[in-house]
Amino acid sequence: MRKHDIAISVAEEDTDVADLIAAELKNLNVRYYYYKEEKDNLGKHLINLTMDAYGKRTKYVLLITSRFFVNKYWSGIELQMALAQLPQGSVWQLRLDNTEVNGLPKHKVYLEWKDNPGEIAKVVKEKLTRRKRMVWERLLRICTMLGILGITVFLWYWIYNTCCRWRILKQEYVSVLATERPFKISNVEVTVAAYREYCMVTHKVFPEQPFQSVDSMPVRNVTWEEAKAYCEFVKGRLPSELEWTAAALAGKNTVYSGGTSAAAVAVYHKVKPANVGHKKPNALGIYDMSGNVAEWCEDWADSAHTLKVVKGGGYDSAVGELVVSNRRAERPEVRLRDVGFRVVKDN
């Protein structure tokens, strides 16, 4: 932490000049270090005092240079400390005569002594004020840039989520005629956004979603009963296994829903699902029936009625689990990180 605005470095023979300047600086409320006025240095090591005063604890150094200054050991130490520890432009020179000082550029003479301590102090004050203003302006520019960046990120996030919500509100129901009883099925899986809106309207508890879930991803951790309740709320139902299979094949004889290339139609072997509709749809325009998340079906998977059918494979599945004919059996009351659902409606 900087304690002083400026430190005065001067040879003992020139302290009469430093005394006059220090008095003027005090009148202008400039915080300065001047060793003659320090009262609490007793017992402290001189080199530590020098390092603190001419580097660590001061912003700038005023060198009062003369033929005496260049021949003093400690003046040289103070000069080297200042040049080594302070940024370029933070060491200012008040020249009492034409003696050159090693380490300082010969063409830079910041101030010259003309028996004018008041003028010198005002120049120092002006330099300090100008530097402080530059720091504040730089800080303001940084804050402005960060503010613009923050607003940009917020607007991007808002637009992204608004578009995702619009897409969910505009989800389509595709007609499937390949079964005894024609039906319509949602072209995408029920999303996090859609299920959250349902919970808000019905005052139900929204199930905690796995880490990195976003609104446009399929909802997960939903039990079979919760999936069924959502479907009924939107005047629909869960698909039977037969209906799910017919919708997935879309009248084709393919291995996966949408084709023979799993990479083209399915999100699988990943650590999280993708946004709904991320891959190529099948011939009916239905997305993600292979991969992304597996899906609850209406049917019981066993004669004891303890397990429900789950179809489609998920984002963490092996490629063999994406085959349309593949099925899983899960307890209807459990919440599963890779299982969601879609809605069927009767024509």
Side-chain angles (χ1 to χ4, degrees), residues 21-22 32 88 102 130 167 177 179 208 210 215 235 238 256 279:
I21 294 172
Y32 64 88
Q88 186 176 5
N102 291 333
R130 189 159 55 248
R167 181 179 181 181
L177 306 176
T179 61
E208 183 178 356
D215 281 3
K235 305 294 191 292
L238 288 170
Y256 314 108
K279 292 287 188 174

Side-chain angles (χ1 to χ4, degrees), residues 56-73:
K56 295 179 181 178
R57 304 191 68 188
T58 191
K59 298 176 183 176
Y60 306 100
V61 170
L62 176 64
L63 299 174
I64 301 177
T65 65
S66 67
R67 58 191 176 87
F68 302 111
F69 183 90
V70 297
N71 293 316
K72 294 291 181 176
Y73 175 76

Side-chain angles (χ1 to χ4, degrees), residues 92-155:
W92 302 336
Q93 182 185 12
L94 169 58
R95 192 171 67 172
L96 301 184
D97 57 33
N98 292 326
T99 305
E100 293 182 0
V101 181
N102 291 333
L104 290 178
K106 296 179 181 179
H107 63 284
K108 282 191 176 180
V109 178
Y110 296 98
L111 302 166
E112 289 189 274
W113 177 248
K114 298 176 182 177
D115 198 19
N116 53 344
E119 182 183 346
I120 298 298
K122 286 181 181 178
V123 171
V124 170
K125 177 76 172 182
E126 288 170 2
K127 284 178 176 286
L128 289 168
T129 302
R130 189 159 55 248
R131 288 294 182 92
K132 287 178 181 178
R133 186 164 55 245
M134 289 173 60
V135 170
W136 279 109
E137 288 173 352
R138 187 180 298 115
L139 181 61
L140 180 60
R141 286 197 298 271
I142 293 172
C143 291
T144 301
M145 291 175 62
L146 290 175
I148 293 172
L149 178 62
I151 292 171
T152 302
V153 171
F154 172 78
L155 288 175

Side-chain angles (χ1 to χ4, degrees), residues 140-176:
L140 180 60
R141 286 197 298 271
I142 293 172
C143 291
T144 301
M145 291 175 62
L146 290 175
I148 293 172
L149 178 62
I151 292 171
T152 302
V153 171
F154 172 78
L155 288 175
W156 177 87
Y157 180 80
W158 181 82
I159 292 170
Y160 174 78
N161 278 281
T162 299
C163 290
C164 288
R165 287 180 181 271
W166 176 86
R167 181 179 181 181
I168 299 310
L169 293 174
K170 290 291 186 179
Q171 69 177 333
E172 299 174 354
Y173 284 88
V174 177
S175 294
V176 181

Side-chain angles (χ1 to χ4, degrees), residues 215-242:
D215 281 3
S216 51
M217 287 180 180
V219 70
R220 298 177 279 163
N221 280 349
V222 176
T223 68
W224 181 88
E225 288 287 353
E226 289 171 339
K228 179 182 178 184
Y230 176 92
C231 292
E232 291 172 352
F233 178 79
V234 297
K235 305 294 191 292
R237 56 184 175 81
L238 288 170
S240 68
E241 183 176 9
L242 178 62

Side-chain angles (χ1 to χ4, degrees), residues 16-33:
D16 55 335
V17 174
D19 293 344
L20 295 172
I21 294 172
E24 294 293 338
L25 290 174
K26 186 179 294 183
N27 290 336
L28 295 176
N29 296 316
V30 174
R31 297 176 304 169
Y32 64 88
Y33 172 86

